[in-house]
Amino acid sequence: MTTTVLDPELLGSPSTTYRAGLIGSGITTSASPLLHETEAAAHGIRAAFALLDLDELGHGVEVLGGVLREVRAAGWQGVTVTHPAKQTIIPLLDAITPDAAAIGAVNTVVFDRGRAIGHNTDWSGYARSLRTCLPGGLTDDDLRSVVLVGAGGAGSAVAHALLSIGVAHLWVVDIDHDRASALAATLRRRHRDRTLRTGRPDDLPALLTDVTGIVNASPVGMTGHEGHPVPTSALHPGLWVSDIVYRPRRTALLIGAERAGCRVLGGGPMVVLQAADGFEVLTGRRADADRMLRRFEATHP
């Protein structure tokens, strides 16, 4: 007998046209339900977007297979995925897109004619946020040399985005140097015309003297993980600084970077734009990204 993982009430009413949800740990404050449900309403779609918090359910990633079976049987269009499931969910899927394969992480799963297909919209959401939301715009010189802090699932997506939009030289820095080296090796195979090097956190002060941008894709600075992923004393006006953390909106890194005279980009635009791309993948409807950004700004001051 198969044990069920989810409460039937959590699976939603069959009367809704669009049913999906977010799988992850510690996601009770996620912006995803509001972003998906309000955008669906703007399209005249009745939606129910649930939070499938593994911590709240009292389970770990070992139940992912059961969760996918249950939501698929309930008629959901699919799920979005966050930590710690972006990589562990891949073996449970029927196929993944080339971008998801290159990144090694999935953040959106669509049920399509009996198959579970994994996508990654983190990279496209980040690429669009950097191109359209960085104050002063993005120039060729801004893409000359960039430091990425964090080589996990989010870091992999951001690295793919940075190289895809033209970053010529990318430093990958992680407290786990083996993980940074593995990501750099993977990226070299797909982006053979770019230069990739790795470093450790202690290398950051020296690295920041000769790069044009820095991105924090680690959890450091997030609510519950307070701290500085980069020594603020090493920041200077010649840098643009991006933090993909969006809770809080103004992280310690962004505050320090503003004081140092850097152009800064918070994590809000990325979370909105990856949701917009995910909404399109799940529903087949093109999301109005500007409307979603305005809604996010209004509800996350």
Side-chain angles (χ1 to χ4, degrees):
M1 182 176 178
T2 302
T3 302
T4 59
V5 179
L6 302 175
D7 187 315
E9 291 187 4
L10 197 59
L11 293 172
S13 168
S15 65
T16 54
T17 306
Y18 171 44
R19 284 182 292 164
L22 172 65
I23 302 173
S25 294
I27 56 174
T28 54
T29 59
S30 170
S32 291
L34 179 66
L35 288 169
H36 280 260
E37 291 179 353
T38 54
E39 184 61 18
H43 288 262
I45 300 172
R46 293 186 63 189
F49 193 97
L51 291 179
L52 308 180
D53 192 315
L54 297 175
D55 294 343
E56 296 290 315
L57 295 170
H59 295 292
V61 293
E62 72 279 357
V63 301
L64 288 175
V67 170
L68 288 177
R69 284 192 300 272
E70 291 174 31
V71 298
R72 190 191 306 205
W76 287 25
Q77 277 70 35
V79 292
T80 58
V81 185
T82 190
H83 175 81
K86 290 183 179 183
Q87 293 160 322
T88 52
I89 204 168
I90 291 176
L92 304 173
L93 306 177
D94 297 301
I96 61 175
T97 64
D99 285 314
I103 294 162
V106 160
N107 80 325
T108 306
V109 177
V110 179
F111 302 132
D112 182 13
R113 289 171 287 188
R115 304 176 74 220
I117 312 298
H119 299 250
N120 191 298
T121 66
D122 282 333
W123 84 270
S124 56
Y126 183 74
R128 188 154 43 141
S129 74
L130 188 60
R131 285 196 303 259
T132 62
C133 299
L134 181 70
L138 193 65
T139 68
D140 289 343
D141 189 59
D142 289 329
L143 300 175
R144 175 176 58 81
S145 182
V146 176
V147 170
L148 170 68
V149 180
S156 298
V158 169
H160 182 62
L162 291 169
L163 295 170
S164 295
I165 64 174
V167 167
H169 184 109
L170 183 67
W171 286 91
V172 181
V173 174
D174 196 281
I175 193 169
D176 182 341
H177 193 252
D178 288 342
R179 183 164 69 170
S181 297
L183 174 57
T186 299
L187 293 167
R188 286 189 190 101
R189 289 193 290 270
R190 187 172 176 88
H191 302 277
R192 297 181 184 276
D193 59 336
R194 308 301 163 80
T195 303
L196 284 121
R197 294 183 181 173
T198 61
R200 293 177 169 84
D202 289 347
D203 299 324
L204 285 169
L207 293 179
L208 295 190
T209 63
D210 193 39
V211 299
T212 51
I214 182 164
V215 185
N216 175 44
S218 80
V220 179
M222 185 187 302
T223 301
H225 300 271
E226 285 77 8
H228 294 77
V230 176
T232 53
S233 60
L235 299 173
H236 56 85
L239 290 170
W240 58 264
V241 178
S242 169
D243 197 335
I244 72 166
V245 171
Y246 75 95
R247 299 190 306 265
R249 291 289 306 279
R250 297 182 74 243
T251 61
L253 171 61
L254 295 181
I255 292 170
E258 287 176 335
R259 289 173 177 167
C262 306
R263 292 179 292 149
V264 303
L265 175 65
M270 176 185 175
V271 75
V272 173
L273 295 172
Q274 65 80 25
D277 289 348
F279 179 87
E280 183 170 348
V281 168
L282 287 163
T283 66
R285 302 285 191 96
R286 186 166 183 81
D288 186 326
D290 290 337
R291 176 170 59 209
M292 293 179 74
L293 283 166
R294 290 193 300 271
R295 187 178 299 120
F296 181 86
E297 293 291 337
T299 54
H300 294 76

